[in-house]
Amino acid sequence: MSPASASPLPAGGGGAAALRHVAIIMDGNGRWAKRRLLPRIAGHRAGMEAVRKTIRAAGELGVEALTLYAFSSENWRRPASEIADLMGLLRFYLRREVAELDRNNVRLELIGDWRAFEPDIVADLESARSRLAGNSGLTVALALNYGSQDELARAVRAIAADAQAGRIDPAAITATTIEQRLDTAGLPPLDLVIRTSGEERLSNFLLWQSAYAELLFVDTLWPDFDQAALESAIAAFARRERRYGGR
Ligand code: FPP
Protein backbone atom coordinates (compact mmCIF):
# COMPACT_ATOMS: atom_id res chain seq x y z
CA MET A 1 0.00 0.00 0.00
CA SER A 2 1.35 3.44 -0.85
CA PRO A 3 1.61 6.07 1.89
CA ALA A 4 -1.37 8.41 2.21
CA SER A 5 -0.82 11.39 -0.06
CA ALA A 6 -1.86 13.92 2.56
CA SER A 7 -0.21 12.45 5.64
CA PRO A 8 -0.04 14.77 8.65
CA LEU A 9 3.08 13.02 9.95
CA PRO A 10 6.20 15.12 10.45
CA ALA A 11 8.60 14.77 7.54
CA GLY A 12 11.70 12.71 8.01
CA GLY A 13 10.97 10.41 10.95
CA GLY A 14 13.58 8.46 12.82
CA GLY A 15 15.97 9.62 15.52
CA ALA A 16 15.65 12.34 18.09
CA ALA A 17 13.72 15.36 16.83
CA ALA A 18 13.59 18.92 18.05
CA LEU A 19 10.89 19.51 20.60
CA ARG A 20 8.40 22.08 19.39
CA HIS A 21 5.11 21.42 21.14
CA VAL A 22 4.60 20.24 24.72
CA ALA A 23 1.18 19.59 26.27
CA ILE A 24 0.54 19.10 29.96
CA ILE A 25 -2.27 17.42 31.88
CA MET A 26 -1.92 19.39 35.11
CA ASP A 27 -3.10 16.87 37.68
CA GLY A 28 -2.75 16.62 41.45
CA ASN A 29 -3.89 20.01 42.78
CA GLY A 30 -6.44 18.35 45.07
CA ARG A 31 -3.95 15.84 46.49
CA TRP A 32 -1.35 18.58 47.01
CA ALA A 33 -3.89 20.50 49.11
CA LYS A 34 -5.11 17.40 50.97
CA ARG A 35 -1.57 16.53 52.05
CA ARG A 36 -1.35 19.95 53.64
CA LEU A 37 -4.83 19.76 55.15
CA LEU A 38 -5.84 22.70 52.97
CA PRO A 39 -9.05 23.19 50.94
CA ARG A 40 -8.93 22.13 47.25
CA ILE A 41 -8.94 25.78 46.14
CA ALA A 42 -5.53 26.20 47.80
CA GLY A 43 -4.25 23.43 45.53
CA HIS A 44 -5.72 25.12 42.46
CA ARG A 45 -4.16 28.45 43.55
CA ALA A 46 -0.78 26.77 43.90
CA GLY A 47 -1.46 25.14 40.51
CA MET A 48 -1.91 28.58 39.01
CA GLU A 49 1.53 29.59 40.30
CA ALA A 50 2.94 26.44 38.67
CA VAL A 51 1.30 27.58 35.41
CA ARG A 52 3.17 30.91 35.68
CA LYS A 53 6.51 29.20 36.37
CA THR A 54 6.06 26.64 33.61
CA ILE A 55 5.12 29.22 30.98
CA ARG A 56 8.18 31.28 31.86
CA ALA A 57 10.41 28.19 31.79
CA ALA A 58 9.02 26.93 28.48
CA GLY A 59 9.71 30.31 26.88
CA GLU A 60 13.26 30.37 28.24
CA LEU A 61 13.89 26.81 27.05
CA GLY A 62 12.82 27.68 23.50
CA VAL A 63 9.67 25.56 23.36
CA GLU A 64 7.46 26.81 20.51
CA ALA A 65 4.02 25.85 21.88
CA LEU A 66 2.74 24.83 25.30
CA THR A 67 -0.80 23.48 25.59
CA LEU A 68 -2.24 23.35 29.12
CA TYR A 69 -5.33 21.35 30.10
CA ALA A 70 -6.89 23.94 32.38
CA PHE A 71 -10.56 22.86 32.35
CA SER A 72 -11.93 19.76 30.68
CA SER A 73 -15.42 19.30 29.30
CA GLU A 74 -15.79 16.65 32.04
CA ASN A 75 -14.82 19.06 34.84
CA TRP A 76 -18.46 20.31 34.87
CA ARG A 77 -19.16 17.16 36.90
CA ARG A 78 -17.29 18.63 39.87
CA PRO A 79 -19.20 20.30 42.73
CA ALA A 80 -20.59 23.73 41.78
CA SER A 81 -18.44 25.38 44.46
CA GLU A 82 -15.21 23.98 42.96
CA ILE A 83 -16.28 25.01 39.44
CA ALA A 84 -16.95 28.52 40.76
CA ASP A 85 -13.51 28.55 42.40
CA LEU A 86 -11.83 27.47 39.15
CA MET A 87 -13.72 30.14 37.17
CA GLY A 88 -12.71 32.71 39.77
CA LEU A 89 -9.08 31.71 39.41
CA LEU A 90 -9.30 31.93 35.63
CA ARG A 91 -10.73 35.47 35.90
CA PHE A 92 -7.99 36.42 38.34
CA TYR A 93 -5.28 34.84 36.19
CA LEU A 94 -6.42 36.59 33.00
CA ARG A 95 -6.60 39.99 34.66
CA ARG A 96 -3.36 39.68 36.60
CA GLU A 97 -1.19 37.84 34.13
CA VAL A 98 -1.77 39.32 30.66
CA ALA A 99 0.74 42.15 31.11
CA GLU A 100 3.41 39.68 32.25
CA LEU A 101 2.65 37.35 29.32
CA ASP A 102 2.97 40.33 27.01
CA ARG A 103 6.33 41.33 28.51
CA ASN A 104 7.49 37.75 27.89
CA ASN A 105 6.39 37.91 24.21
CA VAL A 106 3.83 35.11 24.74
CA ARG A 107 1.00 34.56 22.26
CA LEU A 108 -2.29 33.06 23.49
CA GLU A 109 -4.41 30.44 21.74
CA LEU A 110 -7.61 28.93 23.09
CA ILE A 111 -8.81 25.42 22.40
CA GLY A 112 -12.07 23.80 23.45
CA ASP A 113 -15.60 25.13 23.66
CA TRP A 114 -14.52 28.10 25.81
CA ARG A 115 -17.25 30.33 24.41
CA ALA A 116 -19.66 28.41 26.68
CA PHE A 117 -18.10 30.08 29.75
CA GLU A 118 -19.67 33.08 31.48
CA PRO A 119 -19.77 36.14 29.16
CA ASP A 120 -17.27 38.16 31.24
CA ILE A 121 -14.70 35.33 31.04
CA VAL A 122 -15.29 34.96 27.29
CA ALA A 123 -14.69 38.71 26.93
CA ASP A 124 -11.50 38.53 29.04
CA LEU A 125 -10.24 35.57 26.99
CA GLU A 126 -10.92 37.37 23.72
CA SER A 127 -9.26 40.52 24.96
CA ALA A 128 -6.19 38.65 26.25
CA ARG A 129 -5.88 36.75 22.98
CA SER A 130 -6.08 39.89 20.89
CA ARG A 131 -3.65 41.84 23.12
CA LEU A 132 -1.07 39.04 22.76
CA ALA A 133 -1.77 38.23 19.10
CA GLY A 134 1.22 40.16 17.74
CA ASN A 135 3.78 38.41 19.95
CA SER A 136 6.33 36.07 18.44
CA GLY A 137 7.65 34.00 21.35
CA LEU A 138 6.08 30.98 23.05
CA THR A 139 2.49 30.17 22.08
CA VAL A 140 0.44 29.14 25.11
CA ALA A 141 -2.72 27.26 24.19
CA LEU A 142 -5.17 27.07 27.09
CA ALA A 143 -7.52 24.10 26.82
CA LEU A 144 -10.76 25.39 28.33
CA ASN A 145 -13.97 23.37 28.34
CA TYR A 146 -11.90 21.07 26.14
CA GLY A 147 -12.54 17.42 25.37
CA SER A 148 -10.93 15.63 22.48
CA GLN A 149 -14.07 13.74 21.53
CA ASP A 150 -16.07 16.98 21.52
CA GLU A 151 -13.36 18.65 19.40
CA LEU A 152 -13.52 15.78 16.88
CA ALA A 153 -17.33 15.85 16.83
CA ARG A 154 -17.22 19.61 16.09
CA ALA A 155 -14.68 19.01 13.31
CA VAL A 156 -16.82 16.25 11.80
CA ARG A 157 -19.90 18.50 11.90
CA ALA A 158 -17.97 21.25 10.07
CA ILE A 159 -16.78 18.80 7.41
CA ALA A 160 -20.28 17.33 7.01
CA ALA A 161 -21.71 20.85 6.55
CA ASP A 162 -19.06 21.57 3.90
CA ALA A 163 -19.87 18.30 2.14
CA GLN A 164 -23.60 18.99 2.25
CA ALA A 165 -23.05 22.45 0.76
CA GLY A 166 -20.91 20.95 -2.01
CA ARG A 167 -17.72 22.69 -0.81
CA ILE A 168 -15.90 19.42 -0.24
CA ASP A 169 -15.99 16.03 -1.97
CA PRO A 170 -16.43 13.30 0.70
CA ALA A 171 -14.06 11.05 -1.27
CA ALA A 172 -11.34 13.70 -0.92
CA ILE A 173 -11.44 13.84 2.90
CA THR A 174 -8.02 12.98 4.36
CA ALA A 175 -6.38 13.17 7.76
CA THR A 176 -5.24 16.67 6.81
CA THR A 177 -8.87 17.75 6.17
CA ILE A 178 -9.66 16.71 9.74
CA GLU A 179 -6.51 18.28 11.25
CA GLN A 180 -7.33 21.61 9.62
CA ARG A 181 -10.66 21.68 11.46
CA LEU A 182 -9.34 20.77 14.89
CA ASP A 183 -8.94 23.52 17.49
CA THR A 184 -5.19 22.95 17.30
CA ALA A 185 -4.91 23.77 13.59
CA GLY A 186 -2.04 26.23 13.30
CA LEU A 187 -0.12 24.83 16.30
CA PRO A 188 3.03 22.78 15.62
CA PRO A 189 2.69 18.97 15.67
CA LEU A 190 2.50 17.66 19.23
CA ASP A 191 5.79 16.18 20.44
CA LEU A 192 5.38 15.49 24.13
CA VAL A 193 2.45 15.01 26.51
CA ILE A 194 3.27 15.22 30.21
CA ARG A 195 0.82 14.15 32.92
CA THR A 196 1.64 14.93 36.50
CA SER A 197 0.59 13.20 39.73
CA GLY A 198 1.32 9.60 38.74
CA GLU A 199 -1.94 8.96 36.85
CA GLU A 200 -1.35 7.27 33.48
CA ARG A 201 -4.29 8.28 31.26
CA LEU A 202 -4.93 10.81 28.52
CA SER A 203 -8.39 11.68 29.89
CA ASN A 204 -9.84 12.87 26.57
CA PHE A 205 -6.91 15.26 25.93
CA LEU A 206 -5.48 15.72 22.41
CA LEU A 207 -6.28 12.14 21.36
CA TRP A 208 -5.84 12.78 17.64
CA GLN A 209 -2.82 15.04 18.11
CA SER A 210 -0.97 12.57 20.34
CA ALA A 211 -0.93 9.83 17.67
CA TYR A 212 2.88 10.07 17.50
CA ALA A 213 3.61 12.15 20.59
CA GLU A 214 5.83 10.83 23.35
CA LEU A 215 3.94 10.32 26.62
CA LEU A 216 5.57 11.05 29.94
CA PHE A 217 3.93 10.32 33.29
CA VAL A 218 5.62 11.90 36.28
CA ASP A 219 4.80 11.54 39.99
CA THR A 220 5.21 15.26 40.75
CA LEU A 221 1.94 16.86 41.81
CA TRP A 222 1.12 19.79 39.52
CA PRO A 223 1.65 22.57 42.12
CA ASP A 224 5.24 21.27 42.60
CA PHE A 225 6.02 21.37 38.85
CA ASP A 226 8.65 23.97 37.96
CA GLN A 227 11.53 24.80 35.62
CA ALA A 228 13.62 21.84 36.87
CA ALA A 229 10.68 19.46 36.30
CA LEU A 230 10.21 20.77 32.77
CA GLU A 231 13.93 20.48 32.07
CA SER A 232 13.92 16.89 33.25
CA ALA A 233 10.86 16.10 31.08
CA ILE A 234 12.64 17.61 28.08
CA ALA A 235 15.74 15.54 28.86
CA ALA A 236 13.58 12.38 29.01
CA PHE A 237 12.05 13.33 25.65
CA ALA A 238 15.51 13.76 24.14
CA ARG A 239 16.36 10.17 25.11
CA ARG A 240 13.36 8.78 23.22
CA GLU A 241 13.75 7.53 19.68
CA ARG A 242 10.84 8.60 17.48
CA ARG A 243 10.10 6.44 14.48
CA TYR A 244 6.60 7.46 13.32
CA GLY A 245 5.85 3.88 12.31
CA GLY A 246 9.16 3.55 10.42
CA ARG A 247 12.17 1.55 11.62
C1 FPP B 1 -6.34 18.81 38.31
O1 FPP B 1 -6.14 18.65 39.69
C2 FPP B 1 -6.40 20.20 37.90
C3 FPP B 1 -7.51 20.82 37.41
C4 FPP B 1 -8.83 20.17 37.26
C5 FPP B 1 -7.54 22.21 37.00
C6 FPP B 1 -6.26 22.80 36.51
C7 FPP B 1 -6.21 24.19 37.04
C8 FPP B 1 -5.11 24.84 37.40
C9 FPP B 1 -3.76 24.29 37.20
C10 FPP B 1 -5.17 26.16 38.08
C11 FPP B 1 -5.77 27.27 37.31
C12 FPP B 1 -5.15 27.48 35.99
C13 FPP B 1 -5.28 28.62 35.28
C14 FPP B 1 -4.71 28.72 33.92
C15 FPP B 1 -5.96 29.79 35.83
P1 FPP B 1 -7.21 17.84 40.50
O2 FPP B 1 -8.15 18.79 41.16
O3 FPP B 1 -7.91 16.84 39.63
O4 FPP B 1 -6.29 17.11 41.55
P2 FPP B 1 -6.53 15.71 42.26
O5 FPP B 1 -6.61 14.66 41.17
O6 FPP B 1 -5.34 15.56 43.14
O7 FPP B 1 -7.81 15.84 43.01
Side-chain angles (χ1 to χ4, degrees):
M1 201 172 144
S2 63
S5 53
S7 166
L9 296 185
L19 180 139
R20 299 178 64 194
H21 185 178
V22 180
I24 308 184
I25 302 173
M26 308 181 288
D27 198 7
N29 295 348
R31 277 161 285 168
W32 184 94
K34 197 171 176 191
R35 282 182 194 175
R36 290 163 176 75
L37 306 176
L38 293 170
R40 291 180 65 80
I41 177 69
H44 293 315
R45 259 190 228 117
M48 187 180 73
E49 294 308 317
V51 166
R52 300 184 63 227
K53 282 189 224 163
T54 305
I55 290 176
R56 183 175 269 274
E60 284 172 10
L61 294 167
V63 171
E64 217 174 299
L66 176 69
T67 299
L68 298 173
Y69 208 3
F71 192 88
S72 82
S73 44
E74 286 72 38
N75 284 156
W76 296 112
R77 295 186 195 137
R78 294 193 176 209
S81 59
E82 184 173 353
I83 294 172
D85 284 344
L86 285 167
M87 294 301 144
L89 264 190
L90 183 58
R91 279 187 184 94
F92 177 75
Y93 177 81
L94 289 168
R95 288 174 193 172
R96 188 188 73 170
E97 221 45 48
V98 176
E100 169 78 1
L101 293 171
D102 204 11
R103 270 193 299 278
N104 291 327
N105 199 20
V106 170
R107 211 167 63 87
L108 181 67
E109 287 289 346
L110 302 166
I111 68 169
D113 193 8
W114 53 275
R115 286 185 181 83
F117 283 171
E118 294 288 324
D120 69 301
I121 297 185
V122 171
D124 284 351
L125 286 166
E126 280 170 338
S127 121
R129 187 175 59 175
S130 65
R131 173 160 174 194
L132 304 175
N135 289 341
S136 56
L138 172 71
T139 297
V140 170
L142 287 183
L144 293 167
N145 195 18
Y146 176 86
S148 216
Q149 292 173 345
D150 174 64
E151 176 191 38
L152 279 161
R154 286 187 282 108
V156 170
R157 281 202 292 276
I159 293 170
D162 280 351
Q164 200 169 33
R167 289 188 291 268
I168 187 168
D169 172 7
I173 294 171
T174 64
T176 303
T177 319
I178 297 168
E179 283 210 333
Q180 286 168 345
R181 282 158 178 88
L182 295 178
D183 298 345
T184 49
L187 291 175
L190 183 59
D191 296 304
L192 174 63
V193 179
I194 303 168
R195 184 176 188 144
T196 58
S197 89
E199 307 285 342
E200 301 190 353
R201 290 185 294 281
L202 286 177
S203 298
N204 203 13
F205 186 50
L206 302 176
L207 300 182
W208 173 285
Q209 295 86 342
S210 55
Y212 286 94
E214 297 296 325
L215 308 181
L216 186 69
F217 302 103
V218 297
D219 288 334
T220 313
L221 300 176
W222 175 249
D224 294 325
F225 201 87
D226 56 10
Q227 168 130 11
L230 183 63
E231 281 173 5
S232 113
I234 292 175
F237 171 84
R239 292 191 293 271
R240 304 267 179 104
E241 197 193 336
R242 306 181 80 194
R243 291 196 293 273
Y244 304 106
R247 310 185 49 221

